[in-house]
Amino acid sequence: MPGIMILHPGREKSLLRKHPWIFSKGVMEVKEPPENGGDITVRDSAGNFLATASYSPESQIRGRIWSFDPDEKIDTAFFERRIRKAWENRQALIERTAVSAVRVIDAESDFLPGLIIDRYNGILVVKILSAGTEYHLQHIRSALEKIFPDDVIYERSDEAVRKKEGLSERKGILRGELPPQPITISENAGMKILVDVVNGHKTGFYLDQRDNRAALEKYCRGRDVLNCFSYTGGFSLYALRGRAKSVVNVDVSGPALAIAKENVVLNHLDPGRCRFVRADVFEYLRKSRDEKKKFDVIVLDPPKFAESQSQLQKACRGYKDINMLAASLLNPGGILMTYSCSGHMTPDLFQKVVADALLDAGREGQIIEYLTQAGDHPVALPFPEGLYLKGLVVKVS
Ligand code: SAH
């Protein structure tokens, strides 16, 4: 029998709206607590059944909902049903855009809290981020073996957030044998991209920016483009395919820039129009301003500046800083394509930060496109926190 978690009066409301989290302050009592990550029955203060959740005694998020159905057992069949459904939902995207790499499971937004699965060709890269998914790892693995009988399964649970759940970092093979890295994936009408699933960031690549990389192409013809936080050069490939005059890639990571260079050659694009600069973007932008460098198109795709609500103010200063500097480097009529992937930064706030940045730079701007994460990174309606990627295309006069 699983343990029982009883919520304070009124704390059942978010669960009745199918929100998947229970915060520690909402919990009145835990009877017969299971081990870290084990299943627990959640009841309201009157004793009514609310959900079956996983129990995270060390985390602020004390429970994550597996199911709102009192009869649903959390076993291999459960994971198989949810993963199959999510995989079916990806088929239209795969057929439409001929991508060979997709996010199969996007955690809460695919009704599997704490689980991320990206599939690169036939390699499933799995991230186990919560005590609950750790507890059920064997079930998840068995479900994946049934749905993807020929796939290699590689685990990348090397994320610091696991500490909040009382878990240490880990990575390694779960099934089969990895081909030599990097492998080649394709997206958006035949663009080839090298991905190292072992040593690359996250699961190897930023699949969430797929549509937005393609959106850049149309702005670049004959233009001088600056791609800040370029990683393996994703945006730059589209700039080059869109016949940019020149493209500068800036990133702190040497290995990422080395792959960026290879990606240009792999796609038969002109490396002569490309530069690869290993630098801190903040410093690079400041130096470029002092040297009076100019660009026509600038992409800013920084890492998450705010990991928590308490870091938001500092993050805003960082976002404002890079956007102000970038605006000051743009020729009149230039394009600023700017992103924030911090979930704590709301779309409204991000727009305000960018507006303030342009104001400080003494430039006027108009938003001509609103961008967000690709469709294989959905947002479950009861879970607005699932929206994290915001992008603005600003025409700067
Ligand atoms: N635009 C990329 C993804 C960018 S991820 C794509 O579409 O694939 C963010 C990148 O920023 C990472 O490659 C990381 O190495 C780099 N980075 C983080 N902090 C940085 C800094 N201060 N200066 C330069 N690069 C930084």
Side-chain angles (χ1 to χ4, degrees):
M1 277 297 285
I4 296 174
M5 179 186 279
I6 300 164
L7 304 188
H8 284 298
R11 288 307 188 134
E12 70 282 357
K13 280 188 192 136
S14 70
L15 267 70
L16 295 175
R17 287 196 300 266
K18 303 272 196 285
H19 191 278
W21 290 346
I22 300 163
F23 288 98
S24 59
K25 56 183 185 295
V27 179
M28 185 157 74
E29 192 189 350
V30 175
K31 291 183 185 160
E32 294 174 53
E35 63 184 279
N36 194 20
D39 299 346
I40 194 160
T41 301
V42 187
R43 297 188 180 278
D44 66 14
S45 54
N48 299 305
F49 175 90
L50 291 168
T52 302
S54 64
Y55 181 51
S56 290
E58 299 196 24
S59 173
Q60 286 296 318
I61 303 177
R62 195 56 46 93
R64 289 181 170 77
I65 309 303
W66 286 131
S67 176
F68 293 100
D69 175 354
D71 298 324
E72 192 162 36
K73 266 183 60 190
I74 315 308
D75 51 14
T76 299
F78 165 82
F79 287 101
E80 198 185 335
R81 280 193 300 277
R82 299 249 166 135
I83 296 170
R84 258 192 215 287
K85 179 131 187 268
W87 181 230
E88 273 164 31
N89 288 345
R90 269 60 176 183
Q91 295 312 308
L93 166 82
I94 295 171
E95 282 160 27
R96 193 178 70 246
T97 63
V99 288
S100 75
V102 286
R103 174 147 298 187
V104 179
I105 295 294
D106 198 19
E108 278 77 356
S109 293
D110 281 303
F111 312 102
L112 289 172
L115 181 64
I116 299 280
I117 304 176
D118 286 344
R119 183 171 191 260
Y120 297 96
N121 305 339
I123 303 169
L124 294 165
V125 184
V126 178
K127 270 192 196 296
I128 303 290
L129 299 174
S130 64
T133 42
E134 178 88 5
Y135 181 84
H136 283 292
L137 179 56
Q138 285 317 319
H139 289 143
I140 293 167
R141 197 170 153 173
S142 303
L144 288 174
E145 286 175 353
K146 284 191 179 169
I147 304 167
F148 304 95
D150 301 320
D151 278 16
V152 173
I153 308 177
Y154 187 69
E155 185 182 4
R156 280 290 303 265
S157 298
D158 52 340
E159 293 280 342
V161 292
R162 278 171 56 97
K163 233 188 241 133
K164 293 187 189 173
E165 298 277 316
L167 308 169
S168 55
E169 295 182 32
R170 178 178 69 214
K171 65 181 192 176
I173 200 88
L174 293 182
R175 186 179 65 174
E177 219 176 287
L178 275 181
Q181 300 295 307
I183 55 160
T184 303
I185 61 150
S186 62
E187 64 172 25
N188 298 321
M191 189 68 85
K192 293 189 190 125
I193 295 167
L194 294 167
V195 176
D196 182 337
V197 303
V198 177
N199 300 305
H201 295 179
K202 306 287 175 186
T203 61
F205 193 49
Y206 294 91
L207 298 172
D208 53 356
Q209 288 282 27
R210 181 191 308 112
D211 298 351
N212 304 333
R213 285 188 281 271
L216 177 68
E217 190 167 339
K218 61 183 174 293
Y219 296 112
C220 296
R221 192 172 185 156
R223 307 287 179 178
D224 291 316
V225 179
L226 173 61
N227 181 9
C228 295
F229 309 97
S230 67
Y231 189 47
T232 53
F235 280 100
S236 300
L237 300 175
Y238 292 86
L240 289 167
R241 194 164 83 177
R243 305 218 231 144
K245 186 158 58 149
S246 71
V247 181
V248 181
N249 298 269
V250 185
D251 203 283
V252 277
S253 163
L257 289 170
I259 292 188
K261 244 182 246 185
E262 289 183 51
N263 277 332
V264 172
V265 176
L266 181 67
N267 288 284
H268 309 291
L269 297 163
D270 182 3
R273 283 185 281 152
C274 249
R275 286 211 301 131
F276 303 87
V277 182
R278 187 169 168 206
D280 174 80
V281 164
F282 289 82
E283 284 171 21
Y284 180 86
L285 291 173
R286 241 171 249 126
K287 192 159 156 276
S288 301
R289 179 191 58 189
D290 297 344
E291 291 169 357
K292 301 204 167 19
K293 274 200 190 125
K294 291 289 171 201
F295 296 92
D296 302 306
V297 178
I298 300 181
V299 179
L300 295 177
D301 183 22
K304 210 196 264 183
F305 285 164
E307 294 281 351
S308 63
Q309 191 66 28
S310 61
Q311 294 173 355
L312 188 58
Q313 257 200 348
K314 188 161 170 264
C316 284
R317 283 197 292 277
Y319 285 113
K320 188 174 163 192
D321 211 15
I322 52 173
N323 280 281
M324 183 191 70
L325 288 164
S328 69
L329 295 181
L330 277 172
N331 283 319
I335 295 287
L336 174 64
M337 184 182 255
T338 181
Y339 295 96
S340 162
C341 62
S342 304
H344 295 280
M345 171 78 91
T346 60
D348 281 358
L349 181 59
F350 184 52
Q351 186 170 324
K352 186 172 175 300
V353 168
V354 174
D356 286 349
L358 263 74
L359 199 64
D360 279 14
R363 304 295 296 267
E364 256 175 27
Q366 291 166 302
I367 297 167
I368 55 174
E369 271 193 86
Y370 284 92
L371 304 171
T372 186
Q373 61 220 46
D376 51 343
H377 299 61
V379 182
L381 276 170
F383 187 67
E385 293 89 338
L387 171 69
Y388 64 94
L389 184 62
K390 299 139 310 260
L392 300 173
V393 181
V394 184
K395 181 137 178 109
V396 179
S397 58

